[in-house]
Amino acid sequence: MTGLAIDSDVWDRLFDFEDYGQLLGLVQYSLFAAAVLGVVGGVIGVFVMQRDMAFAVHGISELSFAGAAGALLLGGSVVTGSLAGSLVAALAIGLLGAKARDRNSAIGVLMPFGLGLGILFLALYDGRASSKFGLLTGQVISVDGPQLGSLIVISLISLALLVVIWRPLMFDSLDPDVAAARGVPGRAMSLLFMLALGLIVAVAIQIVGALLVLALVVTPAASALRVSSSPIVVPALAATFGVLAAVGGILLALGGSLPISPYITTISFVTYLVCRGIGHVRD
């Protein structure tokens, strides 16, 4: 009987939709933000995969977390702090990492520094524990009206920047040597792409937390690349998978008492497994 009671309690914490209708109205801003993040994160993730920069996403997220934690400690805007940390990391990686080896070395230096700085700021913060925990793992109710507007504007700026440099960036991502020979400025492409990536990582921190940004920026694109190689189909699939994970994760997390992250990461991982299986059968 005790085992059944424990199982029931665990299930209720995972999925309990008793007051779901009332709770749904509390997360409408988060749902809109998650949908926008899913689209932009999925699209930019395609270039992350093509440029072999998944490690860079994690590096940017650590400094973005430090910026958000610093803003929380000082009583400032968490979005602004997160954005500042992301842009500093993106510029540092873009400037110091022209080559893959140099880039990975720079990221390896930035990651522990950013994480340590963020933990220090959270340790000094005397406010709610949920605010501390949410920066790392995300929260269901984490976006209000003003924040939603800021996050949408940041996401659209990132997407617009990506659209402007789309063709030369794609060329530089697929064949950098030939692109350089044709006059494509590789360093400029790298910097602009890192700025766009930094912006979207700053948005992702608000939804899924610093530790699990990869689930919305890398996994959807990795899934899409398993089933197609089309330059049109892959970004569309990646955006679809991103929205599915972000919005679906919030809708599931709303029925439980756990952080949003396990739901989003599970949906992303299952999507990847399905796409990997489809790609294997197709091949």
Side-chain angles (χ1 to χ4, degrees):
M1 295 295 292
T2 303
L4 291 176
I6 293 175
D7 290 343
S8 176
D9 181 62
V10 171
W11 182 259
D12 288 342
R13 293 191 65 189
L14 286 172
F15 306 105
D16 181 11
F17 300 99
E18 183 177 350
D19 300 319
Y20 194 78
Q22 298 177 1
L23 294 173
L24 192 59
L26 300 176
V27 297
Q28 54 182 334
Y29 294 131
S30 294
L31 288 173
F32 282 123
V36 173
L37 172 62
V39 172
V40 184
V43 172
I44 203 169
V46 175
F47 291 99
V48 171
M49 296 300 296
Q50 290 176 342
R51 299 175 74 87
D52 193 20
M53 297 187 70
F55 193 40
V57 175
H58 203 27
I60 294 174
S61 70
E62 303 293 5
L63 274 186
S64 182
F65 160 66
L72 190 66
L73 175 64
L74 298 175
S77 169
V78 174
V79 175
T80 302
S82 177
L83 182 61
S86 287
L87 292 180
V88 168
L91 287 173
I93 294 172
L95 289 172
L96 299 177
K99 297 181 179 179
R101 179 179 298 178
D102 295 335
R103 183 176 65 234
N104 290 335
S105 298
I107 296 169
V109 171
L110 287 172
M111 280 180 57
F113 172 71
L115 186 59
L117 201 59
I119 291 173
L120 172 63
F121 292 152
L122 291 187
L124 296 174
Y125 177 67
D126 295 325
R128 293 182 303 170
S130 60
S131 298
K132 299 181 182 182
F133 196 56
L135 287 180
L136 288 170
T137 61
Q139 302 181 79
V140 175
I141 306 175
S142 61
V143 180
D144 57 20
Q147 279 185 323
L148 175 63
S150 300
L151 298 182
I152 289 178
V153 169
I154 293 171
S155 298
L156 291 179
I157 292 174
S158 176
L159 184 60
L161 180 57
L162 200 62
V163 169
V164 169
I165 63 173
W166 187 282
R167 289 179 64 85
L169 180 63
M170 180 71 74
F171 193 9
D172 184 63
S173 300
L174 296 176
D175 199 335
D177 294 331
V178 175
R182 294 291 183 88
V184 176
R187 175 60 68 89
M189 289 298 102
S190 178
L191 281 173
L192 291 173
F193 173 70
M194 292 305 299
L195 285 175
L197 181 59
L199 290 173
I200 202 61
V201 168
V203 175
I205 293 292
Q206 313 304 317
I207 306 297
V208 296
L211 298 180
L212 298 165
V213 171
L214 294 175
L216 286 184
V217 179
V218 173
T219 310
S223 302
L225 287 167
R226 285 289 175 178
V227 296
S228 177
S229 58
S230 167
I232 298 177
V233 174
V234 169
L237 281 177
T240 302
F241 295 153
V243 172
L244 175 65
V247 175
I250 290 178
L251 293 176
L252 287 177
L254 190 60
S257 60
L258 298 178
I260 186 177
S261 303
Y263 300 95
I264 290 181
T265 53
T266 299
I267 294 174
S268 290
F269 182 64
V270 170
T271 302
Y272 176 77
L273 290 181
V274 171
C275 290
R276 189 179 180 89
I278 292 173
H280 179 72
V281 171
R282 183 197 62 187
D283 293 341

